[in-house]
Amino acid sequence: MSDIHLGTRGCQAEMFLDFLRHVQAEQIYLVGDIFDGWRLRRGWHWPQAHNNVIEALLARAHQGVPIIYIPGNHDEVMRRYLGTHFGGIDVRDEDTHVTADGRRLLVVHGDKYDVVVMNAKWLAHIGDWAYNLILLANTWYNRVRRLWGGQYWSLSNWAKQTVKRAVNFIGEFEKVLADEARRGGFDGIVCGHIHKAELSRLGEVLYANCGDWVESCTGIIEDHDGSLRLVDWAGAVRERAREERDEQRKGKKKKKSKKAKLAS
């Protein structure tokens, strides 16, 4: 998982906790921007749900689940502690993960391959401010949509899919990371950073982006046979709610049918 952004109002902490409750793992990778130091420096926001996420992860570590923490640009303060081990969590700049079927994957956050972040951090901070403004507008827009029975719609995800400069940036980012994996002799690369979940092949290289837990609520899971799959947890929660509603309707219909039989 990557880009949880604890410490921000956009963080879907409850959704992430629901994911942890339903998914057991033999190993966990936290692929950067787990908390948002940029936002926390501007103003403290840390509700109990964010504390619960930390406690849930530490509980997994104490149970013996190896957790690898690879810091990103928003939690770059953790790069001061590379090579350290605390509470059962290893902090590393990057890592090599070998899948059950023997493939070698480079695991990085991805910000080091972002020209804006590396060479114009002030511009990255402006972009972060604009992104949070979009999230705020999006929250109010979706509250209005829900009043009319509409489904959640993400403005920033729409922009990533349709705005030419965003599409070009994402395409170039994916290409650069795939090239880095290829040069290092890896079979694939796992990253985060751009909040755009993806699992695809770029030539001979597997490209896996975990997405985020601000809007999409996505992650990458490796099954026991070594295959990877992209999980859309927000979609899974919606499907679970739909199934529960269907079961409730069926239960009500059965009750009505029993009453009708008794009355006859």
Side-chain angles (χ1 to χ4, degrees), residues 81-101:
Y81 306 100
L82 295 176
T84 61
H85 181 90
F86 64 94
I89 299 175
D90 286 318
V91 184
R92 303 177 188 176
D93 189 43
E94 60 182 47
D95 199 46
T96 300
H97 174 69
V98 181
T99 62
D101 56 359

Side-chain angles (χ1 to χ4, degrees), residues 24-78:
Q24 297 299 317
E26 294 177 2
Q27 186 176 41
I28 294 174
Y29 275 97
L30 301 174
V31 193
D33 288 358
I34 303 308
F35 66 90
D36 197 319
W38 292 9
R39 295 297 300 173
L40 288 170
R41 280 198 294 269
R42 296 176 207 159
W44 191 257
H45 175 76
W46 196 270
Q48 184 59 44
H50 295 206
N51 236 29
N52 294 344
V53 169
I54 299 298
E55 290 172 0
L57 289 170
L58 288 173
R60 291 288 179 93
H62 292 159
Q63 290 163 9
V65 177
I67 298 181
I68 314 299
Y69 186 172
I70 297 171
N73 50 311
H74 284 260
D75 53 6
E76 60 191 347
V77 65
M78 293 303 296

